[in-house]
Amino acid sequence: MRRCRAFIFVLTFLLYASFHLSRKPISIVKGELHKHCAPPNEVELNSYKEYAIQIQPVKKLSNESQCGWEPFDKNNYKQLLGALDYSFLCAYAVGMYLSGIIGERLPIRYYLTVGMLASGLFTAMFGLGYFYNIHNLWFYMIAQIANGLVQTTGWPSVVTCIGNWFGKGRRGLIMGIWNSHTSVGNILGSLIAGYWVSTCWGLSFVVPGVIIACLGIVCFLFLIEHPKDLICACKPSSSSKSYMNGTNKFGVHKPTLNLKETKKLQDPAMQCLLPDRENCTVPLNHNMAVSGEGGTRMSAISFIGALRIPGVIEFSLCLLFAKLVSYTFLFWLPLYITNVEHLDAKRAGDLSTLFDVGGIFGGILAGMISDRLEKRASTCGMMLLLAAPALYMFSAISKMGLEATIVMLLISGALVNGPYALITTAVSADLGTHKSLKGNARALSTVTAIIDGTGSVGAALGPLLAGLISPSGWNNVFYMLMVADACALLFLLRLIRKELQCKMDQTLFKEH
């Protein structure tokens, strides 16, 4: 069973890393869709010649202007690029609310496979605009909207699957490590897109599209949604109880256990995963309802019912602002580095991966601290409190040179992505198995979708606001991000106070 859990851990890690891998190319290609083409009298002649050589494309199509790819070669390019981001993220936010509700009523393996294949198709579709010399803005926006909708199949599915396989013990650390797939996917996406961005930017989208489609096939062949799926496949029996898996019924049997298997079932983590065989009680992960025919079926929690779970609304609103900051960096950081450091699109994309490297360590650190303190909200609040001054320092120090930019990218990545990673993984899993649900952990998919869907609203607003504000100066963009961090912290204050009060009550109880 441990090998199976390790396999599911690695498989779901790779599956969702491919989702982020396919989202990253747009931020890398922005520097190629619109190039810096200031006249020579605005800069020193030698510097301009050197920069012009850097950005000169190896292949120039007949309809490609000197300032980039039409229609992004005009002075309003930031608004147009912001519209691309907004179309993707707005569709993602709307689709996420529906995805969790649909996902818990369908087999995860089929649902996730279809989503990955469709995502590969629409990611590659954007790149085909290069090969077919398409310069219509609506073509690219439709590709982004369609891709945003189908990408919502990923997160609720993988979080539900990983939540089925791993109990609450060390959930923060385990999911902190697992959630590094976000940063790993962003890094791989940056490197893959950056390899072709200056020579053939269409491949920057086509190759990631092929990768996520191939992993969709791997998902269909090898993903196991729940430990009992494996038990049922391995232990046939004539007498069985009927349970639901998505929309399909399957049998859970009562095999004779040897001493080794009995010890495995005594593992606290495994007790959270498997049914109580001795008393024939309903497993923690399922809420069963008796049907009119005498069979059993699962009852899914309603949208309003999920909102009533204590902490869901607060963490959802906190994630809205935390994700606003994270996704602004995701979509605009390479262009910011291009403007400030005067690097070409490929080098700026490579340098931007350091933000995601910092995010890996930030997610793991947040999980470790929250496990040790047993305070999810307080851990998020502490990192959000440090993130605001870190963003201010980044905006000031990044103009002092490349070395300072590298250091601040790592620090900012850790503090910005730490709370984001913790809320979307361990917190979502905790709330999806909250004691108020009385054992109905089928709410996990819906709770995850509500939290991440609300966060996606912020993810849509962030890049849009950055596109509108950046013409007035990048400093104003960073002020907007600092205000967003403060708002995220504000929504957690009630939960932080509750955690601290609970800790004080426990201390007083021990003293007496």
Side-chain angles (χ1 to χ4, degrees):
M1 187 62 71
R2 288 182 179 178
R3 291 181 180 179
C4 292
R5 282 197 286 179
F7 173 75
I8 294 299
F9 183 95
V10 173
L11 179 59
T12 53
F13 182 99
L14 293 176
L15 294 180
Y16 203 72
S18 68
F19 276 92
H20 270 264
L21 181 149
S22 66
R23 295 177 197 172
K24 189 65 177 178
I26 184 65
S27 66
I28 304 300
V29 174
K30 280 179 181 177
E32 191 70 17
L33 294 178
H34 183 90
K35 302 188 182 78
H36 179 79
C37 52
N41 60 355
E42 291 186 9
V43 292
E44 294 182 4
L45 184 60
N46 292 337
S47 298
Y48 176 74
K49 287 181 178 179
E50 180 181 352
Y51 183 71
I53 292 173
Q54 287 181 351
I55 66 171
Q56 184 67 28
V58 175
K59 178 182 178 180
K60 185 173 180 179
L61 298 183
S62 57
N63 289 333
E64 185 179 5
S65 73
Q66 186 178 358
C67 294
W69 186 267
E70 190 182 349
F72 307 103
D73 57 342
K74 306 297 188 300
N75 291 332
N76 65 339
Y77 72 97
K78 288 184 179 179
Q79 287 80 3
L80 296 182
L81 294 175
L84 289 182
D85 297 337
Y86 188 69
S87 59
F88 173 88
L89 294 168
C90 201
Y92 186 86
V94 173
M96 184 59 73
Y97 288 110
L98 300 174
S99 182
I101 297 173
I102 297 172
E104 70 178 17
R105 290 164 171 80
L106 296 174
I108 287 178
R109 183 165 63 96
Y110 299 149
Y111 187 57
L112 188 55
T113 299
V114 171
M116 295 182 74
L117 293 175
S119 183
L121 172 65
F122 292 119
T123 300
M125 176 180 166
F126 194 103
L128 293 178
Y130 174 86
F131 297 103
Y132 289 96
N133 208 18
I134 298 174
H135 297 273
N136 190 314
L137 177 64
W138 282 104
F139 171 83
Y140 298 104
M141 289 190 67
I142 289 173
Q144 288 287 83
I145 292 171
N147 198 17
L149 288 173
V150 298
Q151 288 237 342
T152 60
T153 60
W155 189 244
S157 299
V158 294
V159 171
T160 300
C161 187
I162 203 75
N164 288 340
W165 280 89
F166 291 90
K168 290 188 177 181
R170 295 185 301 171
R171 176 175 278 171
L173 175 60
I174 292 172
M175 287 197 159
I177 296 172
W178 177 75
N179 193 65
S180 63
H181 54 51
T182 299
S183 298
V184 170
N186 289 339
I187 292 170
L188 292 176
S190 298
L191 296 176
I192 292 172
Y195 184 82
W196 283 288
V197 64
S198 298
T199 56
C200 180
W201 64 258
L203 289 176
S204 297
F205 290 91
V206 172
V207 173
V210 171
I211 291 174
I212 189 174
C214 290
L215 283 172
I217 298 174
V218 172
C219 169
F220 177 77
L221 295 175
F222 298 107
L223 183 67
I224 304 172
E225 177 182 342
H226 200 283
K228 65 173 170 282
D229 293 353
L230 186 65
I231 294 171
C232 295
C234 299
K235 302 288 184 180
S237 175
S238 58
S239 61
S240 63
K241 297 286 184 182
S242 181
Y243 293 88
M244 292 286 290
N245 175 19
T247 56
N248 300 324
K249 291 187 177 181
F250 58 85
V252 176
H253 311 284
K254 297 178 65 176
T256 302
L257 301 177
N258 57 34
L259 181 61
K260 186 176 181 180
E261 290 173 324
T262 303
K263 289 182 178 180
K264 286 183 180 180
L265 290 177
Q266 292 173 352
D267 182 359
M270 292 305 298
Q271 289 178 359
C272 296
L273 299 175
L274 302 180
D276 186 341
R277 300 167 182 275
E278 187 173 336
N279 299 320
C280 298
T281 59
V282 179
L284 177 65
N285 299 71
H286 297 83
N287 183 30
M288 311 300 293
V290 179
S291 64
E293 299 175 359
T296 57
R297 60 177 178 82
M298 286 184 177
S299 59
I301 192 171
S302 67
F303 184 87
I304 301 299
L307 285 177
R308 290 173 180 167
I309 299 173
V312 168
I313 293 178
E314 289 90 340
F315 277 112
S316 296
L317 293 174
C318 173
L319 185 63
L320 186 150
F321 291 98
K323 207 166 181 179
L324 183 153
V325 178
S326 181
Y327 268 65
T328 301
F329 274 94
L330 175 67
F331 283 91
W332 285 94
L333 182 58
L335 186 61
Y336 171 77
I337 294 174
T338 299
N339 292 344
V340 173
E341 300 292 341
H342 301 295
L343 300 176
D344 62 7
K346 183 181 185 306
R347 293 180 63 190
D350 293 344
L351 186 60
S352 69
T353 60
L354 294 176
F355 182 83
D356 295 299
V357 172
I360 294 175
F361 293 105
I364 295 173
L365 182 63
M368 291 176 61
I369 294 174
S370 68
D371 278 347
R372 187 169 184 82
L373 299 179
E374 297 181 350
K375 294 180 176 62
R376 309 288 196 207
S378 300
T379 303
C380 293
M382 178 177 59
M383 299 188 80
L384 289 169
L385 187 63
L386 296 173
L391 291 174
Y392 178 80
M393 292 175 62
F394 179 50
S395 66
I397 295 177
S398 61
K399 300 173 184 177
M400 298 180 181
L402 191 60
E403 294 78 10
T405 300
I406 291 173
V407 173
M408 291 311 303
L409 278 172
L410 292 170
I411 295 174
S412 300
L415 294 175
V416 168
N417 285 339
Y420 163 37
L422 186 63
I423 293 173
T424 54
T425 54
V427 170
S428 296
D430 289 346
L431 295 175
T433 55
H434 194 270
K435 60 183 180 182
S436 65
L437 296 171
K438 299 178 180 180
N440 181 15
R442 282 202 68 205
L444 181 55
S445 181
T446 300
V447 169
T448 300
I450 289 174
I451 293 177
D452 200 49
T454 306
S456 297
V457 174
L461 290 175
L464 176 67
L465 292 175
L468 297 175
I469 297 173
S470 56
S472 64
W474 286 106
N475 283 340
N476 293 330
V477 175
F478 280 95
Y479 293 146
M480 179 266 291
L481 298 179
M482 285 184 274
V483 170
D485 258 326
C487 292
L489 177 59
L490 183 64
F491 283 109
L492 285 184
L493 289 181
R494 190 185 72 85
L495 296 179
I496 293 173
R497 179 179 175 276
K498 186 176 180 181
E499 287 181 347
L500 295 178
Q501 184 64 44
C502 182
K503 183 66 175 179
M504 292 175 60
D505 292 343
Q506 289 177 354
T507 303
L508 292 174
F509 180 78
K510 289 180 180 180
E511 290 178 354
H512 291 288

